[in-house]
Amino acid sequence: MTVTDHFERCAQVMRDQGMSDMAVAQFGHLYDVWANGSEATWIREADVEPLHDVPSFHDIYETIDHDQAVHAFAKTAFIKLNGGLGTSMGLSCAKSLLPVRRHKARQMRFIDIILGQVVTARERLGVPLPLTLMNSFRTSADTLKVLESNMRFRQDDIPVEILQHQEPKIDIETGEPVVWPACPDLAWCPPGHGDLYSTLWESGLLDMLWNKGMRYLFISNSDNLGARPSRTLAQYFENTGAPFMAEVAVRTEADRKGGHVVRDRKTGRLMLREMSQVHPDDRQDAQNIRRHPYFNTNSIWIRIDALRDLLERHHGVLPLPVIVNNKTVDPTDASSKKVVQLETAMGAAISLFDEAICVQVDRMRFLPVKTTNDLFIMRSDRFHLTDAFEMEDGNYIFPNVELDPRFYKNIDDFNERFPYNVPSLAAANSVRIEGDWTFGQNVAFYGNAVLQDQGRPSYVPNGEFVGPQGIEPDEWMF
């Protein structure tokens, strides 16, 4: 059978599942790139220029008339990417339904905080700020229940949801859609957050927003609570006249293996270069954080008219770079059938716009939760959740946290070992927990705190201090 035959099998199962022509067309782009091997095209160091001297949020803040900025903010719509299940933490529901911390005796989930940010902005600034979630087929029902039950959040004129497409996982041996009778849902996956653009086009949301007077989109991940709506950035974006603006942050050594923003020498356009696109000979330069100082936070601003024109030229399917993920059909079973999942990244669209720009933001606007290590910090006393639903910290420079993945990777295991709350991190430089430890109330870490594996389940009693030597002894020897 030919590549075309294999794709047609995929297309047919998509149609049988009720997928639209747009979903099939987008998957066709991904499949064609993968089948022809062109996804491994390198972005060579000699072909790009490092990006420097990006304007910072602090500098911009001083130049903005914040009373006037409300007018730009009133023309901004808020879109949250909410398709992820949080499977890396053992979740089987939308990650946005995971409790983050308590506020006034209430457990607050990601989605509760997001809704709080929107309602607060609406009430305090008198702006419409429509919110639309891009859900996946796995996150839609549970998320909509939360929206319906929130007494303060109401939105009738703009859809609160657009539904991300789904596509078949590909059997790596045959190139055909995988079949998994034990759990048919596992044969399907979302096509990455780059699918947002086709979903926006197909849903008609861009025209609806335009007709309601919206001119700008602010788009970010639902697990990044730092990416809250900003009238300062809305006004700055309007002032620049740019079609696309990416929020970037300064790379640290911990970020050196991640994607970064560069400029194409040939076209002059900005590009998002992932490490999978870096040639082995260029890896040292690409990981040099002084040479390439900025990474993409996946928070972007787009002019609705510019995006609509671009999508129209490409019939709703943008030519984004394809990300090939080699996995198993059951992500919890490494022995299950090997498959390929094809995805695109939302931020990669920066290379499709002339005059796209970046703005440097602090870590206060980049607070992602990808693992229980991140959640550990978010639930700690390093943060305070304000009445405006902002996650505040003194300096946003956090201790490095390493929790033994055998006992803390999955959220149920994590919660079991911190039955009261996570220990205090106020005096901690770093935290490393090795082995199976459960924690009592009012435990505090300080310095470079370490707990060694005892080879058995162990317990840190109430009120103890944990430092470089483990649990601080009751009596000191002088």
Side-chain angles (χ1 to χ4, degrees):
M1 295 177 69
T2 66
V3 169
T4 301
D5 293 331
H6 294 319
F7 169 70
E8 283 304 320
R9 289 288 301 276
C10 293
Q12 188 57 53
V13 299
M14 292 180 74
R15 295 187 187 101
D16 293 343
Q17 191 76 0
M19 296 295 101
S20 65
D21 291 341
M22 176 62 67
V24 174
Q26 173 161 272
F27 182 70
H29 162 65
L30 304 182
Y31 193 96
D32 180 66
V33 171
W34 170 71
N36 289 291
S38 54
E39 79 282 349
T41 301
W42 307 116
I43 300 177
R44 295 303 306 264
E45 186 69 23
D47 297 329
V48 300
E49 296 176 350
L51 188 64
H52 291 281
D53 301 321
V54 173
S56 76
F57 180 87
H58 291 292
D59 293 339
I60 289 166
Y61 188 87
E62 300 299 325
T63 68
I64 296 297
D65 181 332
H66 294 281
D67 293 329
Q68 184 68 24
V70 174
H71 298 297
F73 201 29
K75 295 180 283 187
T76 301
F78 192 25
I79 295 180
K80 277 290 189 181
L81 307 180
N82 193 53
L85 285 180
T87 52
S88 63
M89 290 189 282
L91 289 170
S92 57
C93 63
K95 188 195 288 188
S96 62
L97 302 186
L98 178 66
V100 180
R101 59 187 305 112
R102 301 188 73 85
H103 180 65
K104 294 183 177 177
R106 290 184 57 208
Q107 281 279 18
M108 301 298 291
R109 300 162 293 188
F110 286 94
I111 190 66
D112 299 317
I113 297 173
I114 292 167
L115 294 177
Q117 291 173 351
V118 170
V119 171
T120 299
R122 289 177 178 178
E123 293 177 349
R124 293 187 177 182
L125 299 175
V127 296
L129 192 62
L131 169 68
T132 301
L133 303 172
M134 184 173 78
N135 289 323
S136 69
F137 63 100
R138 291 196 176 105
T139 65
S140 175
D142 288 342
T143 304
L144 290 180
K145 287 180 183 177
V146 174
L147 268 62
E148 291 167 2
S149 65
N150 189 297
M151 301 301 294
R152 296 181 64 199
F153 176 81
R154 287 293 176 267
Q155 184 170 298
D156 300 318
D157 52 347
I158 297 294
V160 296
E161 173 191 67
I162 53 177
L163 201 58
Q164 187 176 18
H165 295 123
Q166 57 178 314
E167 64 184 25
K169 297 177 183 178
I170 303 168
D171 187 325
I172 201 167
E173 295 180 354
T174 67
E176 296 190 356
V178 72
V179 177
W180 201 245
C183 185
D185 279 354
L186 289 178
W188 296 87
C189 62
H193 43 66
D195 177 60
L196 169 73
Y197 302 113
S198 291
T199 303
L200 283 171
W201 179 254
E202 184 177 30
S203 68
L205 183 63
L206 294 177
D207 288 332
M208 281 186 271
L209 291 170
W210 185 268
N211 293 335
K212 290 291 183 180
M214 300 298 114
R215 297 297 179 260
Y216 314 114
L217 301 178
F218 172 51
I219 310 167
S220 60
N221 294 340
S222 63
D223 66 359
N224 178 9
L225 295 176
R228 56 186 183 268
S230 167
R231 58 175 163 166
T232 300
L233 289 173
Q235 185 62 62
Y236 175 71
F237 185 47
E238 181 173 82
N239 292 349
T240 66
F244 185 109
M245 181 171 75
E247 295 187 26
V248 298
V250 175
R251 295 168 86 192
T252 66
E253 284 298 324
D255 307 309
R256 65 188 182 87
K257 294 184 179 180
H260 49 282
V261 181
V262 296
R263 189 178 299 278
D264 189 321
R265 289 184 184 274
K266 186 175 181 180
T267 67
R269 289 179 172 178
L270 296 176
M271 305 173 68
L272 176 61
R273 181 168 69 164
E274 303 287 356
M275 277 299 158
S276 60
Q277 297 169 298
V278 174
H279 190 279
D281 293 345
D282 298 330
R283 194 164 295 273
Q284 184 174 354
D285 283 332
Q287 293 185 6
N288 185 331
I289 64 175
R290 285 163 294 280
R291 179 175 177 80
H292 296 290
Y294 302 110
F295 72 89
N296 173 41
T297 67
N298 216 42
S299 295
I300 63 174
W301 299 74
I302 309 181
R303 294 180 64 100
I304 290 176
D305 55 352
L307 178 58
R308 190 169 56 180
D309 291 346
L310 182 66
L311 283 164
E312 187 171 16
R313 290 199 301 273
H314 291 283
H315 307 289
V317 180
L318 299 185
L320 299 173
V322 177
I323 301 168
V324 178
N325 283 322
N326 294 299
K327 299 192 175 185
T328 55
V329 63
D330 183 348
T332 66
D333 182 1
S335 65
S336 62
K337 185 179 287 293
K338 294 181 179 179
V339 297
V340 167
Q341 295 181 203
L342 302 177
E343 302 178 6
T344 57
M346 178 180 73
I350 195 171
S351 65
L352 303 180
F353 291 91
D354 291 320
E355 309 303 327
I357 61 172
C358 294
V359 60
Q360 178 196 328
V361 297
D362 290 341
R363 293 286 172 138
M364 64 184 295
R365 288 191 62 82
F366 185 65
L367 302 172
V369 175
K370 302 300 181 186
T371 66
T372 51
N373 291 348
D374 301 324
L375 185 65
F376 183 88
I377 297 173
M378 198 72 68
R379 287 184 176 178
S380 77
D381 58 356
R382 288 301 303 264
F383 279 106
H384 168 64
L385 183 61
T386 71
D387 288 344
F389 297 91
E390 298 175 353
M391 296 289 288
E392 285 192 344
D393 176 61
N395 58 13
Y396 298 93
I397 300 173
F398 305 113
N400 182 55
V401 172
E402 299 176 43
L403 307 179
D404 194 320
R406 295 175 298 169
F407 305 105
Y408 301 93
K409 180 179 180 180
N410 289 342
I411 189 63
D412 289 343
D413 295 336
F414 178 93
N415 288 336
E416 181 181 343
R417 286 161 177 79
F418 299 107
Y420 303 103
N421 199 359
V422 301
S424 169
L425 295 181
N429 295 322
S430 66
V431 173
R432 189 172 81 250
I433 301 176
E434 300 173 354
D436 184 0
W437 290 87
T438 299
F439 293 79
Q441 299 182 65
N442 303 319
V443 174
F445 288 118
Y446 70 93
N448 296 309
V450 177
L451 285 170
Q452 302 284 356
D453 189 350
Q454 304 297 301
R456 63 185 185 280
S458 305
Y459 182 67
V460 180
N462 296 346
E464 293 287 356
F465 290 85
V466 180
Q469 303 303 317
I471 300 175
E472 191 175 274
D474 292 334
E475 297 180 359
W476 289 96
M477 299 294 293
F478 294 99

